[in-house]
Amino acid sequence: MPSEKSRYVPAPPIPTYDEATAGDASSSRTPWASSSDPEHTDTRPDHETEAQSLLSHNRSGSRSLDPSRRAPGGYRPPQVETDDEGSEWSLEDDSDGDEASQVRREMQELEIEDPLNDDNSSTRSWTKRIGLSRFALPRWKWRWRLPRLTVRLPRQADSGTNANDDDADPSQASGTRTRWRFPTRLPTINLTTRDLVLIIGRLLALTIVVGTVWLLFVSDLFGSMSRRLNGQQFDPEAVRTFVYTNVYREQIGESLRHYTSFAHIAGTEGDYALAMDVHNSFLKYNFDNVAVDEYYTYLNYPKEDGRAIEVLSKDKKQVVWSADLEEIDTGVESAGHQTYSFHGHSKTGTIQGPLIYANYGSRKDFARLAEKGIDTKGAIALVRYHGTQPSLALKVKAAELAGFAGCIVYTDPADNGFSKGHPAPKGRTMPADGVQRGSVSLSNWVIGDPLTPFRPSKEDNPRISVDEAKALVNIPSLPIAWRDAKVLLQHIEGFGEACPKNWRGGVPNVRWWTGNSSSPIVRLQNEQDVTEKQTVWNIYGKIEGYEQAEKDIIIGNHRDSWAFGASEPNSGTAIMLEVARVFSDLVARGWRPLRSIVFMSWDAQTYNAIGSTEFVEKNLDDLQRDAYAYINLDAAISGRDFHAAGSPVFRKLVTRILERVFDPVANTTLSELWKERRADLEEPALVGSGAGSDNVNSDVTPFQYIAGTSSLDIRFGGEMHPAHSSYDNFAWMESIGDPEFVYHGLLGQVLGMLILELADRPILPFDMGYYAHSLGEHVKRLGLWSGEKIQRLKAGNKGGDDDEKKWKLDLEPIKAALSHVEAAVAQFEKWEPWWEAEVVAANGWEPAVLGVRRLEYNSRMADFETGLLDLEMGGGIPNRTQFRHVVYGPQLWNEYSVEQAHFPAIMDAIEAGDLELAQDMVLRAAKAVDRAAGLLVPAADEQA
């Protein structure tokens, strides 16, 4: 062991790399120091000098280097060699000198100045080649030289001057400097043609990638894909169950209570308030698009003291009797007052004349009066609702054409009153003071705003004059209760002819006479407020589909009402908004339909289906291209029997849905009840017949007959109700119409399922086979009816032309077109099973090409209905060219059963005795039917 007294001599410190390469002295005493100057002899203990030396150079940037503290001769700085020293990526040619010279040249590429060496121009350099062998780039044989990069590292003076060091020179304190030295010559690049092609190819590929990414973001593909993935993560059956179980009838009842708490005739404050309620509901549901669409239309309103029906004395100077006109106040409104009794779009004026009773006011009824020699010119007609002429407007028009100066219409108890059951408010029928209001617009002739036919009634659009409007009648009219009609009928007892049995109504204590020109004089006053540009409001709320956002499934219900409107229309309003809430809840959970769902609240329907018609006229081209289906709710709940009327394409769908909906009152499914009644999908002409007066003034009319959109109306009816009177209120609905709102909930379930099937099934559930079958039945009926009608026309042509050719109607063109439809449908319907098999074979995945074909398949189905429109120049029903559908359309006078009322243009021409025009209409209809068949299966596909 070493002696404790022996002196420990520490080992000399290892020099730093900078000291070794720059010749700097060690921070401690070095074995090669040879200074003989005593001033520079450090006499401090070894541990102090070592510690101090380690710190002093870092704090003083101004200390001069001692020439004596240089590295001894023969010292060589260490050299660094990278792993890729022999790589082909060497920046210099491999033939340039030995290893040392090669390293030196490479180190000169990146020079670092020693802050301790003032001779910056001769600083030593270091560099490290970066190997790029990990990148799969081509090995180009080229020579290049990087720009000379000079980096000045921080000096000791840069960090500040040591307060204990008097030698510090502030003039040399500076920050870090970065200096670029540009090469004296440009890089030399030797590229082959192959290299250039590769470079250009990669640049082009990069441009394509960047452009594609940009297009993806601009086209919102990622947003659409997100919606698509969100929609696909839901099991369809789970969605159906959710919709079925989340329609709350209690909520429907509360909504109906609010909607019926005040009157809301179109264009009034109550109507606007309800419009904003619907609008705010759509906003609350977070629909993708909510809009208010204003139109400016011709409307009339009753004056409080402007209406009167009075029986005058023989000298016409005194009033013998005056009708009450108004109903007893039901006291159910929370604001405003009950509406006055009047007719929408009626003629303003005051007239007087003898009173004549004319049964139901059909043309046949007025013809019978003429046959009996009863002079009707200047008289006032008294007719009853319903019967052989269901249209209120056509009753008044027929009276006008028969020479009457005015018309009074009442609801007879034999049609809707105590003869049919207990009257409201404790029963379903019209009470003695109940007044059925309505519109006398000629909806069968012109639908929509009477002053802007064929164009939307926007504020600045041109208008025709009131006298030119074909939709308006030219005599004043008023509705009354049978309570008042009883007195009028008693006053004409003994005048004219005794009425036949089928003319006698159910009014008690009346002997039924027709009256004549000698009947007591009646004064009819109808002074009213009329405006040609009254604002009305349609409200729209849309849920966008993720696959075909441009394709729409439209659900509509009119909002305005003649009175409180519990049954018509607000039962439908409450149901529609509840179903809208359910679908908004689905969307909030991430679900999206394949196609867009649009909820629409129409205004001014009661006058002449104005709101829906103006919308169709404004958006006609878009609807003909993109509207797949329209579902309507009008008098949604007035009974317990389910009814569906509309295009034949809905038959299979309706039947399937009724199998899922259970009626808790009858304790069975709606399908079983449907079969027990032997019910079926009803003709489009029966849409709206639940209201009891008019089956044309419906929001289905513009969609089905003008736009060619397959339309369906659904309701629970089959029983009497106090239609269009103040008794159709919430109290009646809650106690009599639908206690506990069971059928409101059931119709909501049916509606929800219909929307799901139409908007979210990959293939539209249209029954094209049944449409083809229906067309065949219609052609058969047309042949039978036309044959009988032509024979009667020929028999009545005594002494006229007996040429048989002029008394024949050739229906072969339609029959040939029908054969084309049947063949096309048979071929068309083969594709859906094939598509299903392909998807099943692919484990549920649909190839993109197959998806495109599926969308085209859906469009062809929807286009079939549109193809049945006569869109050629001069097309449509003659003199009623607003209606373009060649198969379905309103009758001219509503005098035939709906089973007979098909091909309306042909029927009108035959009725007028113009067989030449009828034959032309046959050719037009055949052309449209044939074109529709071609839309299903184009000629090229048929040949294939």
Side-chain angles (χ1 to χ4, degrees):
M1 292 184 62
S3 174
E4 294 179 2
K5 297 181 179 180
S6 59
R7 186 168 180 269
Y8 172 73
V9 180
I14 300 174
T16 66
Y17 178 80
D18 292 336
E19 292 172 351
T21 58
D24 190 13
S26 175
S27 61
S28 60
R29 281 179 294 155
T30 62
W32 53 83
S34 57
S35 175
S36 59
D37 188 353
E39 290 181 19
H40 297 286
T41 302
D42 195 344
T43 60
R44 292 178 296 174
D46 293 338
H47 65 280
E48 293 182 11
T49 58
E50 180 178 357
Q52 181 64 30
S53 65
L54 291 172
L55 298 171
S56 61
H57 289 305
N58 293 332
R59 296 181 180 179
S60 177
S62 61
R63 183 175 180 177
S64 302
L65 291 176
D66 188 346
S68 65
R69 294 172 65 84
R70 297 289 183 180
Y75 176 81
R76 296 183 62 185
Q79 297 186 12
V80 180
E81 182 175 355
T82 62
D83 295 338
D84 61 345
E85 199 66 56
S87 171
E88 295 183 19
W89 286 95
S90 178
L91 302 181
E92 298 289 345
D93 198 340
D94 293 341
S95 62
D96 292 348
D98 57 13
E99 179 179 355
S101 62
Q102 179 178 343
V103 171
R104 189 177 300 111
R105 286 193 302 271
E106 295 178 22
M107 293 177 66
Q108 289 174 354
E109 302 299 334
L110 184 62
E111 184 176 40
I112 302 177
E113 298 180 0
D114 186 354
L116 301 178
N117 190 347
D118 290 338
D119 188 8
N120 293 335
S121 63
S122 61
T123 55
R124 298 182 183 273
S125 303
W126 65 272
T127 184
K128 186 176 189 300
R129 249 179 325 151
I130 301 175
L132 301 176
S133 59
R134 72 187 65 181
F135 300 106
L137 295 175
R139 298 188 176 187
W140 299 321
K141 293 296 183 179
W142 61 354
R143 294 173 60 86
W144 69 340
R145 186 178 295 278
L146 291 172
R148 191 178 185 85
L149 176 64
T150 302
V151 180
R152 183 180 295 278
L153 294 177
R155 296 174 180 268
Q156 291 179 351
D158 296 341
S159 61
T161 305
N162 192 336
N164 298 326
D165 192 346
D166 297 335
D167 297 333
D169 186 1
S171 64
Q172 295 189 15
S174 61
T176 302
R177 287 190 304 162
T178 302
R179 184 174 64 200
W180 288 87
R181 293 181 180 178
F182 292 95
T184 57
R185 60 188 178 89
L186 295 173
T188 301
I189 302 176
N190 297 325
L191 297 176
T192 66
T193 302
R194 177 176 176 272
D195 297 333
L196 288 173
V197 172
L198 290 173
I199 293 173
I200 294 173
R202 281 170 170 76
L203 290 175
L204 182 60
L206 179 62
T207 303
I208 293 174
V209 171
V210 173
T212 302
V213 172
W214 179 80
L215 287 174
L216 291 177
F217 277 101
V218 169
S219 63
D220 192 32
L221 177 63
F222 294 114
S224 300
M225 183 62 67
S226 174
R227 291 192 295 267
R228 183 185 181 99
L229 292 176
N230 285 337
Q232 287 183 339
Q233 69 182 358
F234 289 85
D235 175 57
E237 186 58 33
V239 174
R240 294 187 189 99
T241 302
F242 180 89
V243 171
Y244 185 82
T245 58
N246 281 272
V247 175
Y248 300 136
R249 64 191 189 191
E250 297 83 5
Q251 181 60 48
I252 297 175
E254 288 305 311
S255 297
L256 184 63
R257 182 191 301 273
H258 171 66
Y259 301 153
T260 58
S261 61
F262 51 89
H264 40 278
I265 297 177
T268 63
E269 292 181 359
D271 178 38
Y272 179 76
L274 186 52
M276 292 302 100
D277 284 342
V278 175
H279 178 262
N280 293 336
S281 294
F282 287 166
L283 290 177
K284 182 174 67 175
Y285 299 157
N286 292 316
F287 283 164
D288 298 309
N289 185 23
V290 177
V292 179
D293 189 14
E294 294 184 348
Y295 294 95
Y296 303 84
T297 68
Y298 176 83
L299 298 181
N300 66 303
Y301 301 100
K303 292 182 178 180
E304 182 177 2
D305 298 323
R307 297 155 300 114
I309 295 177
E310 300 168 336
V311 177
L312 302 180
S313 60
K314 291 183 179 181
D315 60 6
K316 305 178 185 179
K317 294 182 179 181
Q318 295 181 352
V319 175
V320 176
W321 172 84
S322 181
D324 289 336
L325 293 182
E326 310 301 346
E327 299 164 308
I328 297 174
D329 193 343
T330 58
V332 298
E333 68 275 8
S334 62
H337 57 78
Q338 287 187 183
T339 57
Y340 298 129
S341 302
F342 78 110
H343 281 157
H345 283 166
S346 59
K347 177 78 171 180
T348 298
T350 299
I351 51 94
Q352 61 185 27
L355 183 68
I356 297 177
Y357 171 66
N359 196 21
Y360 288 116
S362 68
R363 290 194 301 172
K364 290 183 178 180
D365 291 332
F366 290 118
R368 186 180 184 282
L369 292 175
E371 291 173 359
K372 295 295 182 179
I374 298 174
D375 184 10
T376 58
K377 186 176 182 180
I380 295 178
L382 175 64
V383 300
R384 50 178 173 159
Y385 272 104
H386 310 290
T388 55
Q389 179 50 270
S391 170
L392 169 62
L394 291 179
K395 293 176 188 289
V396 178
K397 188 64 178 179
E400 175 192 332
L401 296 178
F404 286 88
C407 187
I408 302 171
V409 187
Y410 79 99
T411 303
D412 194 278
D415 302 305
N416 185 3
F418 63 85
S419 298
K420 298 291 185 179
H422 293 292
K426 296 182 179 182
R428 289 185 167 273
T429 63
M430 191 74 79
D433 65 310
V435 178
Q436 182 171 337
R437 301 155 181 82
S439 171
V440 292
S441 303
L442 296 167
S443 304
N444 294 60
W445 299 5
V446 178
I447 198 78
D449 178 28
L451 305 186
T452 59
F454 304 100
R455 66 174 67 94
S457 57
K458 289 299 183 178
E459 189 170 17
D460 297 330
N461 279 355
R463 285 161 166 75
I464 61 177
S465 68
V466 173
D467 294 335
E468 295 175 304
K470 294 182 179 180
L472 300 178
V473 295
N474 296 308
I475 61 174
S477 64
L478 280 175
I480 60 173
W482 70 258
R483 168 200 61 192
D484 294 331
K486 174 181 177 180
V487 179
L488 293 174
L489 289 168
Q490 289 173 340
H491 272 83
I492 62 172
E493 182 180 337
F495 293 92
E497 299 286 332
C499 292
K501 186 175 182 180
N502 60 346
W503 276 46
R504 300 172 189 172
V507 179
N509 303 320
V510 169
R511 295 181 179 178
W512 294 86
W513 289 74
T514 62
N516 56 22
S517 57
S518 301
S519 297
I521 301 299
V522 171
R523 175 176 176 269
L524 189 157
Q525 179 185 2
N526 187 36
E527 303 299 329
Q528 52 194 353
D529 293 320
V530 178
T531 175
E532 294 187 2
K533 291 186 178 182
Q534 175 61 49
T535 307
V536 296
W537 309 272
N538 288 344
I539 310 297
Y540 314 137
K542 184 174 185 178
I543 299 173
E544 288 191 357
Y546 69 81
E547 184 178 60
Q548 289 180 290
E550 74 282 2
K551 302 300 183 182
D552 295 333
I553 305 300
I554 304 173
I555 301 91
N557 159 261
H558 78 87
R559 183 185 63 254
D560 63 304
S561 173
W562 292 120
F564 302 112
S567 173
E568 182 186 353
N570 295 132
S571 61
T573 306
I575 292 169
M576 183 181 76
L577 289 184
E578 173 64 8
V579 172
R581 180 197 63 79
V582 173
F583 278 92
S584 74
D585 195 358
L586 266 178
V587 172
R589 296 168 187 265
W591 174 86
R592 282 274 169 183
L594 294 176
R595 305 165 198 100
S596 294
I597 302 170
V598 189
F599 296 95
M600 295 189 167
S601 176
W602 309 119
D603 204 354
Q605 184 275 347
T606 52
Y607 279 85
N608 196 26
I610 291 175
S612 56
T613 302
E614 302 311 307
F615 171 81
V616 168
E617 290 177 337
K618 178 185 176 184
N619 302 278
L620 185 58
D621 292 339
D622 293 339
L623 290 170
Q624 290 177 350
R625 181 182 63 250
D626 294 328
Y628 273 0
Y630 174 71
I631 305 174
N632 188 63
L633 300 170
D634 194 346
I637 306 296
S638 61
R640 301 181 181 182
D641 297 334
F642 178 78
H643 292 263
S647 171
V649 298
F650 295 107
R651 184 174 186 263
K652 184 190 301 182
L653 174 61
V654 170
T655 303
R656 183 188 307 154
I657 288 174
L658 294 183
E659 294 173 354
R660 299 179 62 104
V661 181
F662 187 84
D663 184 343
V665 177
N667 197 31
T668 186
T669 64
L670 293 182
S671 177
E672 289 300 320
L673 297 173
W674 178 273
K675 293 175 182 177
E676 289 177 8
R677 290 170 34 226
R678 297 183 179 180
D680 205 340
L681 182 70
E682 299 165 0
E683 298 286 343
L686 282 175
V687 170
S689 60
S693 63
D694 194 351
N695 55 11
V696 177
N697 184 13
S698 165
D699 294 314
V700 164
T701 297
F703 282 94
Q704 182 72 44
Y705 304 150
I706 299 176
T709 301
S710 297
S711 302
L712 178 70
D713 182 272
I714 57 174
R715 62 187 175 88
F716 277 96
E719 298 179 76
M720 295 290 175
H721 71 288
H724 301 170
S725 74
S726 295
Y727 289 93
D728 183 14
N729 53 43
F730 181 80
W732 176 84
M733 181 64 74
E734 186 180 34
S735 60
I736 303 298
D738 185 18
E740 300 182 5
F741 302 96
V742 172
Y743 291 96
H744 284 76
L746 291 181
L747 195 64
Q749 291 173 337
V750 172
L751 176 62
M753 302 295 285
L754 280 170
I755 296 172
L756 267 183
E757 295 299 301
L758 290 168
D760 207 38
R761 282 186 68 89
I763 293 182
L764 282 174
F766 281 180
D767 193 347
M768 304 310 299
Y770 186 69
Y771 209 136
H773 170 76
S774 298
L775 287 177
E777 294 299 312
H778 301 337
V779 172
K780 290 180 182 177
R781 294 192 187 104
L782 176 63
L784 294 174
W785 177 85
S786 62
E788 295 176 358
K789 185 67 177 179
I790 291 173
Q791 288 299 320
R792 289 199 296 270
L793 289 174
K794 183 180 178 181
N797 184 41
K798 297 180 180 179
D801 193 348
D802 294 332
D803 188 355
E804 290 294 331
K805 293 182 179 180
K806 294 184 178 181
W807 296 100
K808 290 186 65 176
L809 185 68
D810 184 11
L811 296 179
E812 288 304 317
I814 292 183
K815 294 179 180 179
L818 175 61
S819 298
H820 186 192
V821 169
E822 293 172 343
V825 168
Q827 182 176 348
F828 183 80
E829 290 189 326
K830 294 178 182 178
W831 191 85
E832 183 175 352
W834 176 83
W835 171 84
E836 291 178 351
E838 290 292 310
V839 173
V840 170
N843 294 323
W845 290 95
E846 181 188 58
V849 175
L850 191 59
V852 172
R853 293 184 63 186
R854 173 174 55 80
L855 299 184
E856 181 185 358
Y857 184 82
N858 287 336
S859 294
R860 289 184 181 184
M861 268 193 287
D863 289 344
F864 181 82
E865 191 89 63
T866 308
L868 294 173
L869 299 177
D870 184 2
L871 299 177
E872 295 184 357
M873 184 67 67
I877 303 175
N879 301 316
R880 298 187 291 147
T881 54
Q882 199 177 18
F883 306 114
R884 298 271 181 164
H885 205 292
V886 299
V887 180
Y888 300 114
Q891 298 181 50
L892 184 63
W893 282 99
N894 279 0
E895 293 175 340
Y896 299 99
S897 67
V898 294
E899 290 78 11
Q900 295 175 315
H902 304 107
F903 299 99
I906 300 173
M907 294 185 66
D908 282 2
I910 296 174
E911 276 286 340
D914 191 343
L915 296 186
E916 183 177 352
L917 176 61
Q919 191 63 57
D920 183 52
M921 293 299 102
V922 167
L923 296 176
R924 281 182 173 271
K927 188 174 182 179
V929 172
D930 192 67
R931 180 175 59 248
L935 292 173
L936 275 182
V937 181
D941 293 348
E942 290 184 45
Q943 294 173 2

